Amino acid sequence: MFLYMQGKKELLSFGLGSISILGVFLIWYLVGELEVVSELFIPHPRSVWRAFLEVSTDGYRGGTLLVHLGSSLGRLIGGYFAAVFLGVPLGLLIGLYPKARILLNPLFEFYRPLPPLAYYSLLILWLGIGELSKITLLFLAALPPIIMNARAGVENIPLHRIDAARTLGSRPRGLFFQVIFPSCLPFIFTGLRVGIGFAYTTLISAEIVAAVNGIGWLVLDAGRFLRTDILFMAVIVMGVTGMVLDLLLRTLEQKLIPWKGYQ
Amino acid sequence: MTYKTSSRDVKVLEATNLDIFPGEFVSLIGPSGCGKSTLLRLVAGLLPPSAGQILWKGQEILGPDRHRCLSFQQPHLFPWLSVQKNVEFGPKNRGLSRKEQRECSNYYLSLVKLTDFADSYPHELSGGMQQRVALARALANEPQLLLLDEPLGALDALTREHMQDELKAIWQRTGCAIILVTHSVDEAVYLGTRILVNSHRPARIIFDHPGMGHEGREAKNRAEFLALKDQVLSYVWD
Ligand SMILES: Nc1ncnc2c1ncn2[C@@H]1O[C@H](COP(=O)(O)OP(=O)(O)O)[C@@H](O)[C@H]1O
Ligand SMILES: [Mg+2]
């Protein structure tokens, strides 16, 4: 019953959400039809659709849309997974051991607020203009929220839950996998979602600074050659891809921790 | 027992001599903040005493032990485990085989009448049901001493009456000793074979008297039950 109602509520919010998208599209379409603005500034939806077909099949400057998107996502996944595999254990460690916190916090607090593009030039200098500097950049961009949330997960474990496990015979060693790690999962997942958002935003900027392919580069290059139709199309593809990534993580979250929010 | 905090020391429990015997059902009642939960945590071995000793069968208590199981006012179930797996948590830690774990959880789930909810998750249950799972989870450890910290405090009055009888039946069936902290004089007198009343902080025991724990529900209407309740109340209010 409860699940059914939740499904209905989701359907409703989806319906309402579509209205705003549809509204914007309608205005865009009207502007195109009435030719109030030059195609150079706001291309007709039809032109954008044609650009989509053109870039999908014939490609743009050496790669189809799928190739550009693929090379972007490849970088994203590389940097992001490295950040997850390092960040989650590191965050848990900092949360569990005050000594690790004292040791690592100053360094972390210095690097955390730095905008990734600030040290990007340095990375390029060290690692070259190729993939490695980009992947490292994305790794560094995704890392802070993942660490911080894993740490918050440890700090927010209800103490009585630990006590309950101890009176039920958990040994200090078993406690981590039996209670501490699962208790942190809701926070860890928040970190994973924020982290991929950070990495994705940074990815686009990275490609705008130095790249020869990728969806971010496509936007920049299309802009430079006044192909507004392609620019529009690429921005839309970028937005949709970002939404899909978040949706994937949210679905995974609901599958793995349906109890989120319950204490 | 004294808690040391950054601002001040809080003396919670006055030096107390207290013996609990096997099979006893002890009701502990007293003003809130007097240190009842602290006492249970000390006995459970979750907290070392700042002074003095607590002996379990002649040995000093140094840490938690499955024979002294504590269940809290909130159920504190593990939300990522099904009801059945929650109950099997203790048996698993004890090293029972899969089959023995299952038998054990089935038995205690039937005892708290939740067999049908074995595959549900805690967030799908009502507060009363969660509390019963917590009770089954503690019982599945087959403790010799069960420490219950206001386990019925968060329940509505009807469920509470019902749970009192279940608790009594469970105690009679398992034969374990129980220390039950409660705010209800009625509950203390009805369930306890022994009633203890604590003073304000630092707590001392100011009343120690046999209760009606061996009697059935009809005892609640007898004159001596009401008289005992009045007597306990006068000490609680002192
Ligand atoms: N970890 C702690 N540190 C400091 N003081 C505490 C701590 N736990 C409990 N206290 C204090 O000890 C007193 C008794 O607490 P508690 O045993 O929970 O009382 P009760 O269960 O009887 O209501 C309270 O005044 C409380 O503020
Ligand atoms: Mg208490």
Side-chain angles (χ1 to χ4, degrees), chain A residues 14-74:
Chain A
F14 179 77
L16 282 177
S18 317
I19 290 180
S20 66
I21 298 255
L22 224 67
V24 170
F25 182 80
L26 207 69
I27 294 170
W28 178 24
Y29 188 83
L30 281 179
V31 169
E33 274 304 285
L34 301 175
E35 296 178 18
V36 276
V37 186
S38 153
E39 279 260 323
L40 184 63
F41 297 113
I42 301 180
H44 192 284
R46 205 182 300 114
S47 319
V48 174
W49 176 247
R50 271 201 218 103
F52 175 70
L53 294 179
E54 179 197 323
V55 179
S56 298
T57 50
D58 301 342
Y60 177 83
R61 302 240 284 156
T64 60
L65 183 61
L66 217 57
V67 168
H68 285 301
L69 198 61
S71 56
S72 287
L73 289 181

Short mmCIF file of all heavy atoms in Angstrom, two decimals, chain A residues 14-74:
data_model
loop_
_atom_site.label_atom_id
_atom_site.label_comp_id
_atom_site.label_asym_id
_atom_site.label_seq_id
_atom_site.Cartn_x
_atom_site.Cartn_y
_atom_site.Cartn_z
N PHE A 14 6.64 13.57 -11.48
CA PHE A 14 7.19 13.44 -12.82
C PHE A 14 6.33 14.22 -13.82
O PHE A 14 6.83 14.96 -14.66
CB PHE A 14 7.26 11.97 -13.22
CG PHE A 14 7.79 11.73 -14.60
CD1 PHE A 14 9.15 11.82 -14.86
CD2 PHE A 14 6.93 11.43 -15.64
CE1 PHE A 14 9.65 11.61 -16.13
CE2 PHE A 14 7.41 11.23 -16.92
CZ PHE A 14 8.77 11.32 -17.17
N GLY A 15 5.01 14.07 -13.66
CA GLY A 15 4.07 14.77 -14.55
C GLY A 15 4.24 16.27 -14.44
O GLY A 15 4.34 16.98 -15.45
N LEU A 16 4.29 16.78 -13.18
CA LEU A 16 4.44 18.22 -12.96
C LEU A 16 5.76 18.71 -13.52
O LEU A 16 5.85 19.77 -14.14
CB LEU A 16 4.35 18.54 -11.47
CG LEU A 16 2.93 18.55 -10.88
CD1 LEU A 16 2.99 18.80 -9.39
CD2 LEU A 16 2.08 19.62 -11.57
N GLY A 17 6.81 17.91 -13.29
CA GLY A 17 8.13 18.28 -13.78
C GLY A 17 8.15 18.38 -15.30
O GLY A 17 8.79 19.28 -15.86
N SER A 18 7.44 17.48 -15.96
CA SER A 18 7.42 17.51 -17.42
C SER A 18 6.78 18.78 -17.94
O SER A 18 7.14 19.29 -19.00
CB SER A 18 6.63 16.32 -17.97
OG SER A 18 6.96 15.17 -17.28
N ILE A 19 5.80 19.31 -17.17
CA ILE A 19 5.10 20.51 -17.62
C ILE A 19 6.09 21.66 -17.81
O ILE A 19 6.06 22.35 -18.83
CB ILE A 19 4.00 20.91 -16.61
CG1 ILE A 19 2.87 19.88 -16.69
CG2 ILE A 19 3.48 22.32 -16.91
CD1 ILE A 19 1.73 20.16 -15.77
N SER A 20 7.02 21.85 -16.86
CA SER A 20 7.95 22.97 -16.97
C SER A 20 8.86 22.78 -18.18
O SER A 20 9.14 23.72 -18.92
CB SER A 20 8.76 23.12 -15.68
OG SER A 20 9.59 22.00 -15.50
N ILE A 21 9.32 21.54 -18.38
CA ILE A 21 10.18 21.26 -19.54
C ILE A 21 9.42 21.54 -20.84
O ILE A 21 9.90 22.20 -21.75
CB ILE A 21 10.63 19.78 -19.53
CG1 ILE A 21 11.46 19.51 -18.28
CG2 ILE A 21 11.36 19.43 -20.82
CD1 ILE A 21 12.93 19.39 -18.50
N LEU A 22 8.19 21.03 -20.86
CA LEU A 22 7.35 21.19 -22.04
C LEU A 22 7.09 22.67 -22.32
O LEU A 22 7.12 23.11 -23.48
CB LEU A 22 6.02 20.46 -21.82
CG LEU A 22 5.52 19.62 -22.99
CD1 LEU A 22 6.46 18.44 -23.22
CD2 LEU A 22 4.10 19.13 -22.72
N GLY A 23 6.89 23.44 -21.25
CA GLY A 23 6.62 24.87 -21.40
C GLY A 23 7.80 25.58 -22.05
O GLY A 23 7.63 26.35 -23.01
N VAL A 24 8.99 25.30 -21.56
CA VAL A 24 10.18 25.92 -22.11
C VAL A 24 10.34 25.53 -23.59
O VAL A 24 10.64 26.37 -24.45
CB VAL A 24 11.45 25.51 -21.31
CG1 VAL A 24 12.71 25.96 -22.03
CG2 VAL A 24 11.39 26.10 -19.92
N PHE A 25 10.07 24.26 -23.86
CA PHE A 25 10.20 23.79 -25.24
C PHE A 25 9.22 24.52 -26.15
O PHE A 25 9.56 24.93 -27.26
CB PHE A 25 9.96 22.28 -25.30
CG PHE A 25 10.11 21.72 -26.68
CD1 PHE A 25 11.38 21.45 -27.18
CD2 PHE A 25 9.00 21.51 -27.49
CE1 PHE A 25 11.53 20.95 -28.46
CE2 PHE A 25 9.15 21.01 -28.78
CZ PHE A 25 10.42 20.73 -29.26
N LEU A 26 8.02 24.70 -25.64
CA LEU A 26 6.97 25.36 -26.43
C LEU A 26 7.38 26.79 -26.78
O LEU A 26 7.26 27.23 -27.93
CB LEU A 26 5.66 25.36 -25.64
CG LEU A 26 4.40 25.38 -26.50
CD1 LEU A 26 4.25 24.06 -27.23
CD2 LEU A 26 3.18 25.70 -25.65
N ILE A 27 7.90 27.52 -25.79
CA ILE A 27 8.35 28.90 -26.04
C ILE A 27 9.46 28.91 -27.07
O ILE A 27 9.47 29.69 -28.02
CB ILE A 27 8.83 29.54 -24.72
CG1 ILE A 27 7.65 29.70 -23.76
CG2 ILE A 27 9.49 30.89 -24.98
CD1 ILE A 27 8.03 30.09 -22.36
N TRP A 28 10.40 27.99 -26.88
CA TRP A 28 11.53 27.85 -27.81
C TRP A 28 11.00 27.62 -29.23
O TRP A 28 11.41 28.25 -30.20
CB TRP A 28 12.41 26.69 -27.34
CG TRP A 28 13.59 26.40 -28.22
CD1 TRP A 28 14.21 27.26 -29.06
CD2 TRP A 28 14.27 25.16 -28.33
NE1 TRP A 28 15.24 26.65 -29.70
CE2 TRP A 28 15.31 25.34 -29.27
CE3 TRP A 28 14.13 23.90 -27.72
CZ2 TRP A 28 16.18 24.32 -29.62
CZ3 TRP A 28 15.00 22.89 -28.07
CH2 TRP A 28 16.02 23.11 -29.02
N TYR A 29 10.03 26.72 -29.33
CA TYR A 29 9.46 26.37 -30.63
C TYR A 29 8.80 27.58 -31.28
O TYR A 29 8.99 27.87 -32.46
CB TYR A 29 8.45 25.24 -30.46
CG TYR A 29 7.94 24.68 -31.77
CD1 TYR A 29 8.67 23.72 -32.47
CD2 TYR A 29 6.73 25.13 -32.32
CE1 TYR A 29 8.22 23.21 -33.67
CE2 TYR A 29 6.26 24.63 -33.53
CZ TYR A 29 7.01 23.67 -34.19
OH TYR A 29 6.57 23.17 -35.39
N LEU A 30 8.05 28.34 -30.47
CA LEU A 30 7.35 29.53 -30.98
C LEU A 30 8.36 30.56 -31.47
O LEU A 30 8.21 31.13 -32.56
CB LEU A 30 6.47 30.14 -29.89
CG LEU A 30 5.13 29.41 -29.68
CD1 LEU A 30 4.33 30.08 -28.56
CD2 LEU A 30 4.31 29.42 -30.98
N VAL A 31 9.40 30.78 -30.66
CA VAL A 31 10.44 31.74 -31.05
C VAL A 31 11.03 31.34 -32.39
O VAL A 31 11.24 32.17 -33.29
CB VAL A 31 11.55 31.81 -29.96
CG1 VAL A 31 12.76 32.58 -30.47
CG2 VAL A 31 11.01 32.46 -28.70
N GLY A 32 11.24 30.03 -32.57
CA GLY A 32 11.78 29.53 -33.84
C GLY A 32 10.82 29.74 -34.99
O GLY A 32 11.20 30.22 -36.06
N GLU A 33 9.55 29.37 -34.75
CA GLU A 33 8.54 29.46 -35.81
C GLU A 33 8.35 30.90 -36.26
O GLU A 33 8.24 31.19 -37.45
CB GLU A 33 7.18 28.95 -35.29
CG GLU A 33 6.94 27.46 -35.40
CD GLU A 33 7.07 26.89 -36.81
OE1 GLU A 33 6.15 27.11 -37.61
OE2 GLU A 33 8.08 26.22 -37.09
N LEU A 34 8.30 31.83 -35.28
CA LEU A 34 7.99 33.23 -35.60
C LEU A 34 9.22 33.98 -36.10
O LEU A 34 9.13 35.14 -36.48
CB LEU A 34 7.40 33.93 -34.37
CG LEU A 34 6.12 33.28 -33.82
CD1 LEU A 34 5.67 33.97 -32.54
CD2 LEU A 34 5.00 33.34 -34.87
N GLU A 35 10.36 33.35 -36.05
CA GLU A 35 11.61 33.93 -36.51
C GLU A 35 11.88 35.31 -35.91
O GLU A 35 12.29 36.23 -36.61
CB GLU A 35 11.64 33.99 -38.04
CG GLU A 35 11.62 32.60 -38.65
CD GLU A 35 11.59 32.62 -40.18
OE1 GLU A 35 11.93 33.67 -40.75
OE2 GLU A 35 11.23 31.59 -40.76
N VAL A 36 11.62 35.46 -34.59
CA VAL A 36 11.86 36.75 -33.96
C VAL A 36 13.36 36.95 -33.70
O VAL A 36 13.84 38.08 -33.65
CB VAL A 36 11.11 36.90 -32.62
CG1 VAL A 36 9.69 37.35 -32.86
CG2 VAL A 36 11.12 35.58 -31.84
N VAL A 37 14.08 35.85 -33.51
CA VAL A 37 15.52 35.96 -33.24
C VAL A 37 16.26 35.20 -34.34
O VAL A 37 15.77 34.20 -34.85
CB VAL A 37 15.86 35.34 -31.86
CG1 VAL A 37 17.32 35.59 -31.52
CG2 VAL A 37 14.96 35.93 -30.79
N SER A 38 17.42 35.71 -34.69
CA SER A 38 18.23 35.05 -35.74
C SER A 38 18.60 33.63 -35.32
O SER A 38 18.84 33.37 -34.14
CB SER A 38 19.49 35.87 -35.99
OG SER A 38 20.52 35.03 -36.47
N GLU A 39 18.65 32.71 -36.27
CA GLU A 39 19.04 31.32 -36.03
C GLU A 39 20.41 31.24 -35.39
O GLU A 39 20.73 30.27 -34.72
CB GLU A 39 19.06 30.54 -37.36
CG GLU A 39 17.70 30.06 -37.83
CD GLU A 39 17.46 28.59 -37.50
OE1 GLU A 39 18.42 27.80 -37.58
OE2 GLU A 39 16.32 28.24 -37.15
N LEU A 40 21.22 32.28 -35.59
CA LEU A 40 22.56 32.29 -35.03
C LEU A 40 22.53 32.28 -33.49
O LEU A 40 23.37 31.68 -32.84
CB LEU A 40 23.30 33.53 -35.52
CG LEU A 40 24.76 33.64 -35.09
CD1 LEU A 40 25.58 32.50 -35.66
CD2 LEU A 40 25.33 34.99 -35.56
N PHE A 41 21.49 32.98 -32.94
CA PHE A 41 21.39 33.04 -31.48
C PHE A 41 20.53 31.92 -30.92
O PHE A 41 20.90 31.26 -29.95
CB PHE A 41 20.86 34.40 -31.04
CG PHE A 41 21.78 35.52 -31.43
CD1 PHE A 41 21.39 36.47 -32.37
CD2 PHE A 41 23.05 35.61 -30.88
CE1 PHE A 41 22.24 37.49 -32.74
CE2 PHE A 41 23.92 36.62 -31.26
CZ PHE A 41 23.51 37.56 -32.19
N ILE A 42 19.34 31.77 -31.51
CA ILE A 42 18.47 30.69 -31.04
C ILE A 42 17.99 29.91 -32.25
O ILE A 42 17.05 30.31 -32.93
CB ILE A 42 17.25 31.24 -30.26
CG1 ILE A 42 17.72 32.06 -29.05
CG2 ILE A 42 16.35 30.10 -29.80
CD1 ILE A 42 16.59 32.63 -28.23
N PRO A 43 18.62 28.78 -32.53
CA PRO A 43 18.21 27.98 -33.68
C PRO A 43 16.86 27.33 -33.44
O PRO A 43 16.48 27.09 -32.28
CB PRO A 43 19.31 26.94 -33.80
CG PRO A 43 19.91 26.85 -32.46
CD PRO A 43 19.75 28.18 -31.81
N HIS A 44 16.15 27.07 -34.52
CA HIS A 44 14.85 26.40 -34.43
C HIS A 44 15.07 24.98 -33.90
O HIS A 44 16.08 24.34 -34.24
CB HIS A 44 14.23 26.35 -35.84
CG HIS A 44 12.80 25.95 -35.84
ND1 HIS A 44 12.41 24.65 -35.65
CD2 HIS A 44 11.66 26.66 -36.01
CE1 HIS A 44 11.09 24.58 -35.69
NE2 HIS A 44 10.61 25.81 -35.91
N PRO A 45 14.13 24.45 -33.08
CA PRO A 45 14.27 23.08 -32.59
C PRO A 45 14.53 22.09 -33.73
O PRO A 45 15.28 21.12 -33.56
CB PRO A 45 12.91 22.80 -31.93
CG PRO A 45 12.39 24.12 -31.54
CD PRO A 45 12.95 25.11 -32.52
N ARG A 46 13.93 22.38 -34.89
CA ARG A 46 14.11 21.48 -36.03
C ARG A 46 15.58 21.43 -36.45
O ARG A 46 16.13 20.35 -36.71
CB ARG A 46 13.24 21.96 -37.20
CG ARG A 46 12.86 20.83 -38.17
CD ARG A 46 12.04 21.37 -39.35
NE ARG A 46 10.79 22.00 -38.95
CZ ARG A 46 10.53 23.31 -39.11
NH1 ARG A 46 11.42 24.11 -39.64
NH2 ARG A 46 9.36 23.79 -38.73
N SER A 47 16.23 22.59 -36.45
CA SER A 47 17.66 22.63 -36.83
C SER A 47 18.50 21.86 -35.82
O SER A 47 19.45 21.17 -36.19
CB SER A 47 18.15 24.08 -36.88
OG SER A 47 17.20 24.91 -37.46
N VAL A 48 18.12 21.99 -34.55
CA VAL A 48 18.88 21.31 -33.51
C VAL A 48 18.73 19.80 -33.68
O VAL A 48 19.69 19.04 -33.54
CB VAL A 48 18.41 21.76 -32.11
CG1 VAL A 48 19.09 20.93 -31.02
CG2 VAL A 48 18.71 23.23 -31.92
N TRP A 49 17.53 19.38 -34.00
CA TRP A 49 17.27 17.96 -34.26
C TRP A 49 18.10 17.48 -35.44
O TRP A 49 18.70 16.42 -35.40
CB TRP A 49 15.77 17.75 -34.49
CG TRP A 49 15.41 16.33 -34.85
CD1 TRP A 49 14.93 15.89 -36.04
CD2 TRP A 49 15.54 15.17 -34.02
NE1 TRP A 49 14.72 14.55 -36.01
CE2 TRP A 49 15.11 14.06 -34.77
CE3 TRP A 49 16.00 14.97 -32.71
CZ2 TRP A 49 15.09 12.77 -34.28
CZ3 TRP A 49 15.98 13.67 -32.23
CH2 TRP A 49 15.54 12.58 -32.99
N ARG A 50 18.15 18.33 -36.51
CA ARG A 50 18.96 17.96 -37.68
C ARG A 50 20.44 17.85 -37.30
O ARG A 50 21.13 16.94 -37.73
CB ARG A 50 18.78 19.01 -38.79
CG ARG A 50 17.63 18.66 -39.71
CD ARG A 50 17.78 19.38 -41.06
NE ARG A 50 16.47 19.80 -41.52
CZ ARG A 50 16.02 21.05 -41.45
NH1 ARG A 50 16.81 22.02 -41.00
NH2 ARG A 50 14.81 21.33 -41.85
N ALA A 51 20.87 18.80 -36.47
CA ALA A 51 22.27 18.75 -36.02
C ALA A 51 22.54 17.47 -35.26
O ALA A 51 23.59 16.84 -35.41
CB ALA A 51 22.55 19.96 -35.12
N PHE A 52 21.56 17.08 -34.45
CA PHE A 52 21.68 15.84 -33.68
C PHE A 52 21.87 14.65 -34.62
O PHE A 52 22.79 13.85 -34.45
CB PHE A 52 20.44 15.66 -32.81
CG PHE A 52 20.41 14.36 -32.06
CD1 PHE A 52 21.29 14.10 -31.00
CD2 PHE A 52 19.49 13.37 -32.41
CE1 PHE A 52 21.25 12.90 -30.32
CE2 PHE A 52 19.45 12.17 -31.72
CZ PHE A 52 20.33 11.93 -30.68
N LEU A 53 21.01 14.57 -35.65
CA LEU A 53 21.11 13.47 -36.61
C LEU A 53 22.44 13.51 -37.35
O LEU A 53 23.12 12.49 -37.52
CB LEU A 53 19.95 13.53 -37.60
CG LEU A 53 18.56 13.28 -37.01
CD1 LEU A 53 17.48 13.38 -38.09
CD2 LEU A 53 18.50 11.92 -36.31
N GLU A 54 22.82 14.75 -37.75
CA GLU A 54 24.05 14.91 -38.52
C GLU A 54 25.27 14.45 -37.72
O GLU A 54 26.08 13.64 -38.20
CB GLU A 54 24.20 16.39 -38.92
CG GLU A 54 25.46 16.71 -39.71
CD GLU A 54 25.75 18.22 -39.70
OE1 GLU A 54 24.78 19.01 -39.75
OE2 GLU A 54 26.93 18.58 -39.62
N VAL A 55 25.38 14.95 -36.47
CA VAL A 55 26.55 14.60 -35.67
C VAL A 55 26.51 13.13 -35.25
O VAL A 55 27.55 12.48 -35.11
CB VAL A 55 26.65 15.53 -34.43
CG1 VAL A 55 27.85 15.16 -33.58
CG2 VAL A 55 26.74 16.98 -34.86
N SER A 56 25.30 12.60 -35.07
CA SER A 56 25.18 11.20 -34.68
C SER A 56 25.68 10.28 -35.79
O SER A 56 26.34 9.28 -35.52
CB SER A 56 23.73 10.83 -34.36
OG SER A 56 23.27 11.57 -33.28
N THR A 57 25.35 10.62 -37.04
CA THR A 57 25.70 9.71 -38.13
C THR A 57 27.03 10.10 -38.79
O THR A 57 27.96 9.31 -38.82
CB THR A 57 24.59 9.69 -39.19
OG1 THR A 57 24.25 11.03 -39.54
CG2 THR A 57 23.35 8.98 -38.65
N ASP A 58 27.13 11.36 -39.27
CA ASP A 58 28.34 11.76 -39.99
C ASP A 58 29.47 12.17 -39.06
O ASP A 58 30.63 12.16 -39.45
CB ASP A 58 28.03 12.94 -40.94
CG ASP A 58 26.95 12.55 -41.93
OD1 ASP A 58 26.73 11.32 -42.09
OD2 ASP A 58 26.32 13.45 -42.52
N GLY A 59 29.10 12.58 -37.84
CA GLY A 59 30.12 12.99 -36.90
C GLY A 59 30.47 14.47 -37.02
O GLY A 59 29.96 15.19 -37.90
N TYR A 60 31.31 14.95 -36.13
CA TYR A 60 31.74 16.34 -36.12
C TYR A 60 33.24 16.36 -35.91
O TYR A 60 33.73 15.88 -34.87
CB TYR A 60 31.02 17.11 -35.01
CG TYR A 60 31.45 18.56 -34.89
CD1 TYR A 60 30.91 19.55 -35.72
CD2 TYR A 60 32.42 18.93 -33.96
CE1 TYR A 60 31.31 20.86 -35.62
CE2 TYR A 60 32.83 20.25 -33.85
CZ TYR A 60 32.27 21.21 -34.69
OH TYR A 60 32.67 22.51 -34.59
N ARG A 61 33.95 16.86 -36.89
CA ARG A 61 35.41 16.98 -36.80
C ARG A 61 36.06 15.71 -36.25
O ARG A 61 36.73 15.72 -35.21
CB ARG A 61 35.78 18.18 -35.92
CG ARG A 61 35.18 19.48 -36.45
CD ARG A 61 36.23 20.50 -36.79
NE ARG A 61 36.77 21.11 -35.59
CZ ARG A 61 37.97 21.67 -35.52
NH1 ARG A 61 38.76 21.64 -36.59
NH2 ARG A 61 38.38 22.23 -34.43
N GLY A 62 35.80 14.62 -36.93
CA GLY A 62 36.55 13.41 -36.61
C GLY A 62 35.91 12.46 -35.63
O GLY A 62 36.55 11.50 -35.20
N GLY A 63 34.65 12.70 -35.22
CA GLY A 63 34.04 11.73 -34.31
C GLY A 63 32.53 11.91 -34.25
O GLY A 63 32.05 13.05 -34.29
N THR A 64 31.81 10.79 -34.18
CA THR A 64 30.36 10.91 -34.03
C THR A 64 30.03 11.34 -32.60
O THR A 64 30.90 11.33 -31.72
CB THR A 64 29.66 9.56 -34.29
OG1 THR A 64 30.16 8.62 -33.35
CG2 THR A 64 29.92 9.07 -35.71
N LEU A 65 28.79 11.68 -32.41
CA LEU A 65 28.33 12.10 -31.09
C LEU A 65 28.67 11.03 -30.05
O LEU A 65 29.15 11.33 -28.95
CB LEU A 65 26.81 12.33 -31.13
CG LEU A 65 26.19 12.85 -29.85
CD1 LEU A 65 26.76 14.19 -29.47
CD2 LEU A 65 24.67 12.95 -30.00
N LEU A 66 28.44 9.78 -30.41
CA LEU A 66 28.66 8.68 -29.48
C LEU A 66 30.14 8.59 -29.10
O LEU A 66 30.49 8.33 -27.94
CB LEU A 66 28.21 7.37 -30.13
CG LEU A 66 27.56 6.38 -29.17
CD1 LEU A 66 26.37 7.00 -28.47
CD2 LEU A 66 27.14 5.12 -29.93
N VAL A 67 31.02 8.85 -30.09
CA VAL A 67 32.46 8.80 -29.81
C VAL A 67 32.84 9.91 -28.83
O VAL A 67 33.57 9.69 -27.85
CB VAL A 67 33.28 8.91 -31.11
CG1 VAL A 67 34.76 9.15 -30.79
CG2 VAL A 67 33.09 7.66 -31.95
N HIS A 68 32.32 11.13 -29.11
CA HIS A 68 32.62 12.26 -28.20
C HIS A 68 32.10 11.99 -26.80
O HIS A 68 32.81 12.18 -25.81
CB HIS A 68 32.00 13.54 -28.75
CG HIS A 68 32.75 14.10 -29.92
ND1 HIS A 68 34.07 14.47 -29.85
CD2 HIS A 68 32.36 14.34 -31.20
CE1 HIS A 68 34.47 14.91 -31.03
NE2 HIS A 68 33.45 14.83 -31.87
N LEU A 69 30.86 11.53 -26.75
CA LEU A 69 30.26 11.25 -25.44
C LEU A 69 31.03 10.13 -24.74
O LEU A 69 31.30 10.21 -23.54
CB LEU A 69 28.79 10.84 -25.64
CG LEU A 69 27.90 10.91 -24.41
CD1 LEU A 69 27.83 12.33 -23.89
CD2 LEU A 69 26.49 10.41 -24.76
N GLY A 70 31.40 9.13 -25.54
CA GLY A 70 32.12 7.99 -24.98
C GLY A 70 33.46 8.40 -24.39
O GLY A 70 33.82 7.97 -23.28
N SER A 71 34.20 9.26 -25.10
CA SER A 71 35.52 9.63 -24.57
C SER A 71 35.35 10.46 -23.30
O SER A 71 36.14 10.35 -22.36
CB SER A 71 36.37 10.35 -25.62
OG SER A 71 35.68 11.47 -26.09
N SER A 72 34.28 11.29 -23.25
CA SER A 72 34.02 12.05 -22.02
C SER A 72 33.70 11.11 -20.87
O SER A 72 34.25 11.23 -19.77
CB SER A 72 32.85 13.01 -22.23
OG SER A 72 33.23 14.08 -23.03
N LEU A 73 32.78 10.17 -21.13
CA LEU A 73 32.36 9.27 -20.05
C LEU A 73 33.50 8.36 -19.61
O LEU A 73 33.60 8.03 -18.42
CB LEU A 73 31.15 8.44 -20.49
CG LEU A 73 29.85 9.23 -20.62
CD1 LEU A 73 28.70 8.33 -21.04
CD2 LEU A 73 29.51 9.95 -19.32
N GLY A 74 34.38 8.00 -20.55
CA GLY A 74 35.54 7.20 -20.18
C GLY A 74 36.39 7.91 -19.15
O GLY A 74 36.78 7.34 -18.14
#
